[in-house]
Amino acid sequence: MEQLFPSFFQPQLKENELTAEDTVIVLDTNFLLDIYRLNPSLADKYIASMRKINDRLFIPYFVALEFEFNKSKIIRQKSQIINNQKQTVLKAFEEVEAEIDKLKKDSSFPSLQEFTLNKIELEELLNKDINRFSESSRMHSLHNKVAEEIDNKISNKPTQKFIDETQEKGEERYKQQVPPGYNDAEIKEEELRNYDGLKYKRKYGDLLIWETILNELKNRAGRVNRLVFVSNDGTSDKKDDLIFKASGQRVGPKIELFEEMRIETNVKFYILKNSTFVSMLEQISETDKREINQQLNHFDEFGETNKSDVENDYDRFTKTAEDTIIRNRVFNGDNIRYSNPLRGDSLNNVNINENKNLHAREDDSDELYWEMPIINHSLDIDSDNDEILRRIEILQHRLKRNEEFMFQAKSMGDKQRYLSFRDEYDILRHQLLSLKRRLD
């Protein structure tokens, strides 16, 4: 049996084989980007793991190129995630503060009269941590550490001929669903990458990396026994062109990859998740593992940032026939503009009757929603309860419509719109809470 089907009988990878002289280790782009997603202590462990196997590293040109294209975006989004977390904490603080203020008016809780919460101190502590992350010197140092480990490990710049031949080969492979990369065929169909005189279609990015690896192993024929590919690329339920899964569980590389690697290079092929690879070289506690998953999950919610916005939309939300109906009816209809002119509008530039939106007919309110700016209804108003109640009614109406648009955006898989509506919802909810406190 083993002689007939050798790829099904490959031995498991042992920890000591990671540092063996006949091992080559390839880090995928998402591993390098995870270093920027994680907090400093965990990022240092990722870098330390690279250092321990530096002599075994090989970085395909396209891995390094995509890393350079995406790292600044990761830094910006990490900063936004941290700021979103700050706002969540502050909003929760204000809600608790409001509830305590109510209890202070109740004679049943006399002990609370002397109790105070210091929002300013809390915000200062949060800003201290945010500023520490945002320091340009830290980002510069982090990039230097990564560059130090992968410098001189990156493959030579390929020729356009190699790219063209690989893409031509990929067209036929993808039709037959031969891995890797065929999941990207439709998602990245129109995405092109142009850099330093080279042009390639991003849907063939995984295949270009794969062909680069095979060529490198052929050049090292007789000196390499195993290839370890480190990537989180196969963890998504939407992606099955790298990892074979049984009942939703990862089993190992697709058998076609085993076979191609064995036939082309006579080298054993292994794939490790990023955190698994690090834990085999560095001491990673269970707490560390949970924290890694938690921090990376923030990026999953925000969007898988090593992919395009279009790809994120498809990965994040399930496409169904009902979704298509909603998309056509809501976003392509005559009564709704598929854009949001609200952002950036100032109160001075807007001349709008808010009551028009509040009392509009249902079929008109969608269009009017887009014309109505995000105004802080809790500011610059007198203490007239009738005015406060009027603005509360307006905000409640807007929150209801906002929830509907959030659902519609999520149903059609539009991540960018969904996040925009969610941000607006948070702002409006905060304003509503502030106004309600004025009536207490």
Side-chain angles (χ1 to χ4, degrees):
M1 289 284 288
E2 186 172 351
Q3 290 181 343
L4 284 174
F5 310 109
S7 295
F8 288 95
F9 292 87
Q10 181 171 287
Q12 289 189 342
L13 180 69
K14 300 176 182 177
E15 286 192 20
N16 65 337
E17 290 177 330
L18 282 178
T19 56
E21 291 185 0
D22 58 352
T23 296
V24 171
I25 298 174
V26 175
L27 304 179
D28 199 2
T29 302
N30 56 65
F31 179 93
L32 300 176
L33 293 175
D34 275 358
I35 295 172
Y36 291 79
R37 294 183 176 108
L38 298 172
N39 70 29
S41 62
L42 294 173
D44 285 342
K45 291 188 177 184
Y46 272 56
I47 293 172
S49 69
M50 295 169 62
R51 191 171 296 124
K52 286 188 176 179
I53 48 85
N54 187 268
D55 290 343
R56 309 286 168 257
L57 271 183
F58 173 69
I59 307 296
Y61 175 88
F62 296 100
V63 166
L65 180 59
E66 289 298 324
F67 167 66
E68 291 295 341
F69 268 112
N70 284 282
K71 72 176 188 296
S72 60
K73 181 167 64 176
I74 292 289
I75 294 171
R76 289 194 302 272
Q77 294 190 342
K78 174 70 171 179
S79 179
Q80 186 167 347
I81 287 171
I82 291 176
N83 277 291
N84 288 347
Q85 291 172 322
K86 170 191 169 183
Q87 294 304 319
T88 299
V89 171
L90 291 178
K91 287 172 187 174
F93 185 95
E94 290 176 356
E95 291 175 1
V96 171
E97 188 177 39
E99 293 301 317
I100 291 176
D101 286 344
K102 288 181 182 179
L103 291 178
K104 284 183 177 181
K105 298 175 183 178
D106 189 334
S107 58
S108 302
F109 299 93
S111 300
L112 285 178
Q113 298 304 317
E114 304 301 322
F115 182 77
T116 59
L117 292 171
N118 194 329
K119 181 182 176 182
I120 295 177
E121 182 179 350
L122 172 63
E123 193 161 7
E124 286 177 350
L125 290 173
L126 292 171
N127 286 337
K128 182 179 179 180
D129 288 335
I130 290 173
N131 291 337
R132 184 164 53 232
F133 166 80
S134 302
E135 288 175 357
S136 59
S137 59
R138 177 186 174 273
M139 288 295 103
H140 184 68
S141 173
L142 185 62
H143 187 60
N144 283 343
K145 289 179 181 178
V146 174
E148 182 180 350
E149 297 306 322
I150 66 175
D151 270 355
N152 302 319
K153 305 296 179 182
I154 303 171
S155 64
N156 294 329
K157 176 184 172 182
T159 64
Q160 187 63 48
K161 180 182 178 182
F162 167 77
I163 293 173
D164 294 341
E165 290 175 349
T166 301
Q167 292 184 153
E168 184 177 350
K169 184 189 303 183
E171 187 173 354
E172 188 60 34
R173 288 173 67 115
Y174 286 9
K175 286 179 183 177
Q176 300 178 28
Q177 291 200 325
V178 177
Y182 59 76
N183 286 147
D184 297 333
E186 293 184 6
I187 296 173
K188 297 181 179 179
E189 174 63 33
E190 302 301 326
E191 291 186 51
L192 298 175
R193 183 75 85 198
N194 292 274
Y195 180 75
D196 196 18
L198 297 179
K199 297 180 181 180
Y200 65 95
K201 296 180 180 179
R202 293 195 66 222
K203 69 176 182 179
Y204 295 121
D206 288 352
L207 183 58
L208 287 165
I209 291 171
W210 178 251
E211 290 292 328
T212 302
I213 293 171
L214 293 179
N215 287 345
E216 179 67 15
L217 293 178
K218 291 174 184 177
N219 291 335
R220 302 191 195 186
R223 292 177 287 155
V224 180
N225 187 39
R226 66 193 66 81
L227 186 289
V228 180
F229 186 60
V230 183
S231 176
N232 279 349
D233 211 15
T235 57
S236 169
D237 292 336
K238 304 293 182 183
K239 193 170 178 65
D240 64 357
D241 61 1
L242 186 67
I243 299 291
F244 174 70
K245 299 172 185 176
S247 301
Q249 300 296 315
R250 290 165 54 103
V251 176
K254 298 279 282 190
I255 196 65
E256 296 94 331
L257 298 176
F258 271 128
E259 275 293 275
E260 188 171 5
M261 180 72 72
R262 182 184 67 83
I263 294 171
E264 294 289 328
T265 69
N266 196 31
V267 170
K268 299 181 182 68
F269 181 50
Y270 300 90
I271 296 179
L272 295 177
K273 285 176 58 178
N274 297 344
S275 58
T276 300
F277 169 75
V278 175
S279 66
M280 292 174 72
L281 295 164
E282 289 290 307
Q283 287 193 347
I284 301 290
S285 67
E286 290 302 317
T287 301
D288 288 336
K289 291 178 182 178
R290 286 193 295 271
E291 190 171 354
I292 289 171
N293 289 333
Q294 183 181 29
Q295 291 180 34
L296 296 183
N297 282 341
H298 287 314
F299 277 87
D300 288 341
E301 293 168 2
F302 192 88
E304 294 183 70
T305 50
N306 61 321
K307 298 183 179 182
S308 70
D309 292 336
V310 174
E311 186 178 4
N312 288 332
D313 293 340
Y314 277 85
D315 282 349
R316 181 66 175 158
F317 304 113
T318 304
K319 300 297 182 200
T320 64
E322 182 180 1
D323 293 338
T324 304
I325 293 171
I326 291 173
R327 180 168 68 253
N328 291 337
R329 177 171 59 83
V330 176
F331 286 94
N332 295 336
D334 295 333
N335 293 328
I336 298 181
R337 290 195 298 272
Y338 187 45
S339 62
N340 190 347
L342 305 180
R343 295 202 168 276
D345 286 347
S346 66
L347 190 57
N348 294 331
N349 295 334
V350 175
N351 181 11
I352 185 169
N353 184 350
E354 294 171 339
N355 285 310
K356 182 181 178 183
N357 185 280
L358 178 60
H359 300 296
R361 292 181 295 112
E362 186 67 14
D363 56 348
D364 291 335
S365 60
D366 285 344
E367 178 71 9
L368 293 171
Y369 179 95
W370 295 108
E371 298 176 5
M372 190 172 182
I374 299 296
I375 300 174
N376 193 337
H377 294 270
S378 64
L379 297 179
D380 302 322
I381 63 173
D382 56 32
S383 58
D384 185 343
N385 281 359
D386 289 339
E387 174 68 1
I388 295 176
L389 287 170
R390 187 184 76 85
R391 296 201 177 207
I392 285 176
E393 189 178 11
I394 291 172
L395 281 169
Q396 288 174 332
H397 175 78
R398 290 206 59 188
L399 280 167
K400 177 184 175 183
R401 303 302 294 138
N402 196 281
E403 287 176 344
E404 293 172 0
F405 284 121
M406 285 168 61
F407 171 77
Q408 291 161 359
K410 185 173 182 178
S411 297
M412 70 163 288
D414 193 326
K415 180 70 172 186
Q416 183 179 357
R417 299 294 173 192
Y418 173 80
L419 290 175
S420 177
F421 289 133
R422 190 181 69 180
D423 289 343
E424 292 170 7
Y425 180 90
D426 290 340
I427 293 170
L428 294 170
R429 184 170 171 272
H430 175 64
Q431 293 173 9
L432 180 61
L433 182 64
S434 297
L435 283 175
K436 285 184 174 180
R437 283 205 299 266
R438 294 194 180 204
L439 293 177
D440 292 337

